[in-house]
Amino acid sequence: MSKLVEAVRGGRTDDVVTIVNGMTAAERRGELPALKALRKEFRDAWVTPQLQAASPALLVAGLACQSGAAAVASWLTASGWERMWVAEKRFLSMLEERPAEWLAELAHRIADRRPSTDIRYHLLEAIVQAARCPMPVTDASVDAWIRNIYGNAWDTDVIAERLRQSPYLKPMVAGLFTAGGTGQALNSGHSNKDNPWLLALARLNAEGTLDRATMVDGCLGRLLRGGTAVDQRVFHRLLLDLGLSAEEHAGHAADWRALAADALQPVAVHAQSVLAELALTGSLPTHDLADMTRAVLTRPEKNLVRAQLKLLDTVVTRDTATADALLPAASHALTHEDTEAQERALKLIERHGTHLTDAASREEILTSAAPIAPGLRTRVVEALGTGAEEALHAAGEDTLPPVPSPVALASPPASVAETAEETGALLASHGILPAADFERTLDGLVRWAHEDRAALLEALEPVAATRWWSRTCRRPLPDDSVPSAFAPSHVRYTPRLALDLVLAGLHQRITPRTAKAVLDGGGANAGCLPDGPFRARFWEIAHRLLTDPQPFLLSTPSWDNGLLEPGELTDRLETYQRLGAHVGACDFAQALLRVRTTDRAAAEAAAERAAVLGTPEGRRLADWLRTGGLTGTVLHRTVTDQTTPVVRSGEITAVHMFPLAFRELGSPALGSHHRCWCAATAAVQQTHWPALLPEHPELIALRLIQHVLPCAQYPEKDPDVCSVLPLLAQSPGANGPATSLVVAGGLGVQRQEDRIAAVDALLLLAAQKKLDAGALATDLGALMLIGIVTPSRLAESLGTAASTGAYRTVWTVLRDALPPLLSKDLSPAESRGLGELLTVAAECAERTGAQGVIPGLDPIAARRGSSRLVSQARRLRAALAGT
């Protein structure tokens, strides 16, 4: 142990100074490793009297042995120094011996530290004074200055006096408005009105110690910059304490307009009041008031919007010549979410519309009124003095999303390299795999395994090396464990796992005997249908890759929606016959379920060709096409306990000739709200179900009911449970009661993302004229009555649908869904959200011009009070009455 370290450990600061004064620069540098190790030891140790005594000595020793300004700054500002004031007497004199340039660099190095660093401002000030350089104004130095002024004082007089005595007052005050986090630092815990810092700054400004223009500009600049709520409140309060004059307000009119448009609500309210005063005294040009109005009316705060409309009314009443500029600006409130604001804007236009002289102003008002309800739009037109037939647009058809056209499946991969690349990309991707990409890649694997197995295996080596079933994996499974990882019914059989199964078969990690046993068992005890057909198909592919590779798959669809053209399937059977290839039972069953039968001309032509083949598969295809396959399958909606909706299907005999896993599709089934506990089914798999039965989406929807409806009552174990619904809505087949019930449940599930998917399905069904609005309304009414779907969630979902332009569709649904709920004597908990649902209904009724009577609405509208439920019931009743 060196003498220096020994002196440090003993806490002998005077001896430390004596020792380092007698050392050369090289000797001091040689002591640094030991001093740094000692620093780490002290930092990790508990605070003891010995450590407290040694800490000042270590601080002085480290500063003396460091040569660079950066190193000294780092050492000086490190955390955990004990009794630093003891060391200051020693090291300040040592630092002052350094050159001025070095001291200036040290000051900037210290000031550039993070604000969270414990900078002692009086030390920084001493270094700056010794260097005779300007005080560096940074986030850290300003924060340290604030803490130094505060000290333990909470009195305005004390803080004001300390500010006066601060040698760098002006640059540091300027830094208050530029440094980050100063609002939080100035927030002393008092209310802003009693904040001693803010009151002291205002006092120094009033007495002329601080420059007023700098203070005003700084406050406004800080508010315009935005920031945390604390920041905004502090500088807003300081601005109020400065007490700006009318001339100062007018000189910063542009700043006030910007704050009224974008600042936090309290600041925006103040800005609005300042601008209102300027407008009423004639100090704010009319075009500036109009611009500011357009900005304010886009804000959601009701008080701001209503106050702005009141201001416009006052200004136009005083000077009717301002109507051409201000009424078009006011018309932007016609589409505000606050119905009271809409009504105020309408009355403003009605009161002053006759003062308009500019055609462009009238046109802007009419444009703003275009999206609003027809009855309100008529009032606007009448207020402008033009005929309704000239500008009023009757409520037309809904604006519905375009229905995506089917896209033909691309040709299979042209090489083994392309096949391997696409396989790796699908396995490495996250989220839901598009069925079209999956089917195309799967067909490529089968084709190239038949054509050049060795080349395909070589190209797949990088992909296989990352898979858990591969022998080249870092931790490969034993050979006898691989098949069982694919077989249990509790395994989530995602498309990626299906690809893994096919690749495992290709790499002979599964024996033909095992694959055959699973197939004979119907797909390894598959979970929820159509999970069984999904699994069995891939086990068959794996088995064929091990025993008799197919030249290609018969079941690969022609289109991305899963449809397979009958002529194309016939061509494939002809090729199989020519090659002498054996047809896979599951592959052919899936092909039959996908083949298009609704195009009767194409089906009859393909049936004739298939019959000519003379093969069993050719004859089966011909019979399937001629009889229409599963055409005629009917599902029925019923109720249990007189309230709970369910959908039933009878037995489907057409699938009796299919393999075991596929026959279960023909079993009688029940779709209800009872939760499905099948852990083997995931949403990423369900998105592939519509492509299994593209002409029969009802059979898929029937199996989805028990997955979707419970998610309105319970947190989803599997996200994206409704992601399949838009795909189901786009299926080329007919939709019916099962689709209606599953979409109804989807509109009320817990996750917002899933509700949006259900809304997309609703709009797609409406766009294809496949939506049975009456059935959907019946299901929604029933689900709300038994508490599965809550009015609040349904209001959010249908409100989203209406906002896209589907007002007529949403109204048609709500018109029949509301009566059962309105006619029931609901408890406060049961009626929660009903006001929001009536808001959506009223908006749709107003925009579509609907009229009539809703059973159960009048008693609610006749209640006393002004709750949202009652007020919106009155609004809906008035809309339906045409008043």
Side-chain angles (χ1 to χ4, degrees):
M1 182 185 301
S2 68
K3 291 182 179 180
L4 180 61
V5 173
E6 184 178 353
V8 168
R9 284 190 175 277
R12 303 191 304 272
T13 306
D14 291 340
D15 291 348
V16 167
V17 176
T18 302
I19 292 171
V20 295
N21 285 339
M23 297 172 67
T24 64
E27 289 173 336
R28 292 183 183 183
R29 286 194 299 271
E31 294 286 349
L32 282 175
L35 294 175
K36 291 179 180 178
L38 196 59
R39 168 65 179 152
K40 184 178 184 305
E41 178 185 334
F42 284 6
R43 185 184 294 118
D44 297 339
W46 289 96
V47 178
T48 63
Q50 292 79 10
L51 188 149
Q52 289 181 340
S55 184
L58 178 58
L59 177 58
V60 172
L63 290 176
C65 293
Q66 306 277 3
S67 58
V72 170
S74 179
W75 187 267
L76 184 61
T77 57
S79 61
W81 291 116
E82 297 290 335
R83 301 175 64 189
M84 191 171 185
W85 66 91
V86 176
E88 289 176 10
K89 302 175 183 178
R90 301 293 185 183
F91 69 70
L92 278 177
S93 60
M94 296 169 57
L95 292 177
E96 290 173 356
E97 296 174 359
R98 303 286 183 114
E101 295 80 3
W102 188 93
L103 289 172
E105 181 184 355
L106 175 62
H108 281 85
R109 293 278 187 179
I110 293 175
D112 286 338
R113 309 294 285 183
R114 292 190 300 271
S116 58
T117 305
D118 187 15
I119 294 178
R120 288 163 171 78
Y121 176 76
H122 66 280
L123 297 180
L124 176 61
E125 189 177 87
I127 294 170
V128 169
Q129 289 175 343
R132 294 183 175 84
C133 67
M135 170 63 72
V137 179
T138 64
D139 291 1
S141 65
V142 172
D143 181 75
W145 178 70
I146 294 172
R147 287 187 283 106
N148 183 66
I149 295 293
Y150 252 137
N152 58 356
W154 298 90
D155 184 80
T156 301
D157 295 335
V158 175
I159 292 178
E161 184 57 32
R162 289 179 179 178
L163 287 173
R164 293 188 190 97
Q165 295 175 4
S166 177
Y168 300 102
L169 174 64
K170 290 185 177 180
M172 298 313 287
V173 168
L176 290 177
F177 305 111
T178 58
T182 51
Q184 182 65 49
L186 292 174
N187 185 27
S188 63
H190 293 76
S191 68
N192 279 333
K193 288 185 178 180
D194 301 328
N195 189 312
W197 248 104
L198 305 183
L199 294 174
L201 288 171
R203 182 181 298 178
L204 266 62
N205 171 78
E207 67 189 30
T209 304
L210 295 174
D211 181 66
R212 183 172 180 81
T214 300
M215 296 285 286
V216 173
D217 291 344
C219 286
L220 287 171
R222 189 59 177 252
L223 293 174
L224 288 168
R225 198 174 92 184
T228 65
V230 171
D231 246 17
Q232 295 281 286
R233 285 198 301 267
V234 166
F235 288 102
H236 179 222
R237 183 68 245 175
L238 178 57
L239 190 64
L240 293 175
D241 289 341
L242 293 177
L244 273 64
S245 65
E247 292 76 13
E248 288 174 317
H249 281 154
H252 290 279
D255 296 332
W256 294 117
R257 293 202 308 273
L259 291 174
D262 298 317
L264 291 179
Q265 183 176 3
V267 180
V269 169
H270 178 211
Q272 185 185 49
S273 66
V274 170
L275 291 168
E277 182 180 352
L278 294 177
L280 294 176
T281 58
S283 301
L284 184 69
T286 302
H287 66 272
D288 286 345
L289 177 58
D291 291 342
M292 169 250 190
T293 297
R294 289 183 176 88
V296 169
L297 295 185
T298 62
R299 297 184 63 117
E301 297 93 345
K302 298 177 182 179
N303 60 329
L304 280 168
V305 173
R306 295 176 183 179
Q308 191 66 24
L309 293 172
K310 183 178 181 180
L311 170 63
L312 296 186
D313 189 19
T314 303
V315 173
V316 177
T317 300
R318 289 185 176 186
D319 184 2
T320 57
T322 61
D324 281 320
L326 299 183
L327 291 189
S331 68
H332 287 255
L334 292 172
T335 54
H336 196 272
E337 60 184 14
D338 177 25
T339 55
E340 176 65 23
Q342 296 174 13
E343 184 64 24
R344 291 191 182 196
L346 183 55
K347 289 181 178 179
L348 181 62
I349 294 171
E350 288 176 327
R351 189 177 301 118
H352 302 290
T354 56
H355 301 140
L356 291 168
T357 60
D358 186 6
S361 299
R362 295 174 181 273
E363 185 63 31
E364 183 176 347
I365 295 173
L366 291 173
T367 301
S368 298
I372 66 176
L376 300 180
R377 208 157 54 234
T378 301
R379 290 173 59 186
V380 172
V381 173
E382 292 173 350
L384 298 181
T386 58
E389 67 279 0
E390 178 182 337
L392 181 62
H393 304 286
E397 295 298 322
D398 282 350
T399 302
L400 297 170
V403 182
S405 300
V407 177
L409 219 64
S411 302
S415 65
V416 292
E418 184 180 347
T419 301
E421 181 180 353
E422 293 187 6
T423 302
L426 289 180
L427 289 172
S429 63
H430 299 283
I432 294 172
L433 295 181
D437 295 343
F438 174 76
E439 293 286 349
R440 177 176 177 272
T441 301
L442 184 65
D443 188 40
L445 286 170
V446 171
R447 287 175 182 269
W448 285 105
H450 177 270
E451 186 167 334
D452 194 343
R453 185 189 189 99
L456 179 61
L457 288 172
E458 182 180 356
L460 286 171
E461 282 182 4
V463 177
T466 64
R467 309 313 297 170
W468 51 270
W469 47 260
S470 174
R471 290 189 179 93
T472 59
C473 184
R474 293 178 60 185
R475 295 182 179 178
L477 292 177
D479 288 349
D480 58 353
S481 298
V482 173
S484 61
F486 291 106
S489 60
H490 65 270
V491 173
R492 284 179 174 252
Y493 231 74
T494 65
R496 291 181 184 83
L497 185 63
L499 275 182
D500 270 320
L501 173 59
V502 171
L503 291 176
L506 182 64
H507 286 78
Q508 298 183 334
R509 290 287 276 156
I510 299 173
T511 65
R513 181 178 178 180
T514 299
K516 183 67 164 58
V518 173
L519 278 175
D520 291 343
N525 299 318
C528 301
L529 288 174
D531 181 52
F534 189 81
R535 290 175 180 238
R537 183 177 173 224
F538 299 107
W539 275 105
E540 182 183 80
I541 293 172
H543 180 257
R544 292 294 298 273
L545 288 172
L546 290 163
T547 57
D548 180 22
Q550 302 159 266
F552 51 81
L553 293 175
L554 293 172
S555 56
T556 302
S558 306
W559 303 92
D560 62 345
N561 59 12
L563 272 182
L564 173 57
E565 293 298 336
E568 189 170 349
L569 178 55
T570 305
D571 293 340
R572 293 175 185 175
L573 286 177
E574 289 176 346
T575 304
Y576 260 64
Q577 184 184 43
R578 186 176 68 253
L579 296 176
H582 171 63
V583 174
C586 293
D587 186 29
F588 185 58
Q590 178 61 82
L592 290 180
L593 293 175
R594 281 178 169 165
V595 70
R596 187 196 297 269
T597 61
T598 52
D599 185 345
R600 296 312 304 161
E604 291 293 342
E608 291 183 11
R609 291 176 52 207
V612 173
L613 292 177
T615 62
E617 291 77 20
R619 289 190 293 271
R620 285 179 60 191
L621 175 59
D623 291 342
W624 184 269
L625 292 173
R626 286 168 178 161
T627 59
L630 299 182
T631 301
T633 301
V634 178
L635 278 66
H636 301 279
R637 182 190 185 278
T638 59
V639 294
T640 60
D641 302 326
Q642 291 77 46
T643 56
T644 306
V646 298
V647 178
R648 301 177 184 272
S649 71
E651 186 174 6
I652 305 174
T653 59
V655 299
H656 286 178
M657 60 180 173
F658 284 4
L660 178 61
F662 286 78
R663 291 176 207 161
E664 296 184 30
L665 288 171
S667 302
L670 174 69
S672 73
H673 71 287
H674 293 293
R675 190 170 193 175
C676 174
W677 294 100
C678 176
T681 306
V684 291
Q685 175 189 343
Q686 292 170 0
T687 55
H688 285 242
W689 288 1
L692 302 181
L693 289 163
E695 283 194 332
H696 304 282
E698 279 291 273
L699 293 178
I700 301 298
L702 180 65
R703 272 77 185 187
L704 287 170
I705 291 172
Q706 60 185 348
H707 292 274
V708 174
L709 260 62
C711 291
Q713 296 176 290
Y714 308 98
E716 297 92 327
K717 287 189 174 182
D718 190 33
D720 303 319
V721 69
C722 292
S723 56
V724 64
L725 297 186
L727 300 175
L728 202 66
Q730 297 175 55
S731 293
N735 299 95
T739 300
S740 171
L741 185 55
V742 77
V743 170
L747 293 172
V749 297
Q750 292 194 13
R751 289 183 75 246
Q752 184 181 27
E753 296 85 348
D754 282 324
R755 294 199 297 272
I756 291 174
V759 169
D760 290 341
L762 168 67
L763 297 176
L764 286 168
L765 288 171
Q768 301 169 89
K769 301 189 183 306
K770 293 167 62 176
L771 176 67
D772 187 340
L776 180 61
T778 300
D779 289 332
L780 286 172
L783 293 177
M784 284 192 289
L785 282 177
I786 60 178
I788 292 180
V789 171
T790 63
S792 57
R793 291 187 194 140
L794 182 60
E796 182 179 341
S797 298
L798 293 183
T800 300
S803 66
T804 67
Y807 294 102
R808 189 174 297 278
T809 297
V810 173
W811 167 248
T812 305
V813 173
L814 282 176
R815 178 188 59 199
D816 297 328
L818 284 171
L821 202 62
L822 297 177
S823 302
K824 183 182 177 183
D825 186 15
L826 299 175
S827 66
E830 292 174 322
S831 62
R832 186 178 298 116
L834 187 55
E836 287 81 355
L837 195 59
L838 290 179
T839 300
V840 177
E843 177 77 7
C844 293
E846 290 169 350
R847 289 180 180 272
T848 58
Q851 294 186 353
V853 176
I854 299 292
L857 181 64
D858 285 346
I860 296 177
R863 293 178 186 175
R864 294 181 178 180
S866 58
S867 67
R868 183 162 192 173
L869 175 61
V870 174
S871 63
Q872 293 305 311
R874 293 168 183 164
R875 177 188 173 193
L876 177 57
R877 183 177 63 177
L880 294 176
T883 59

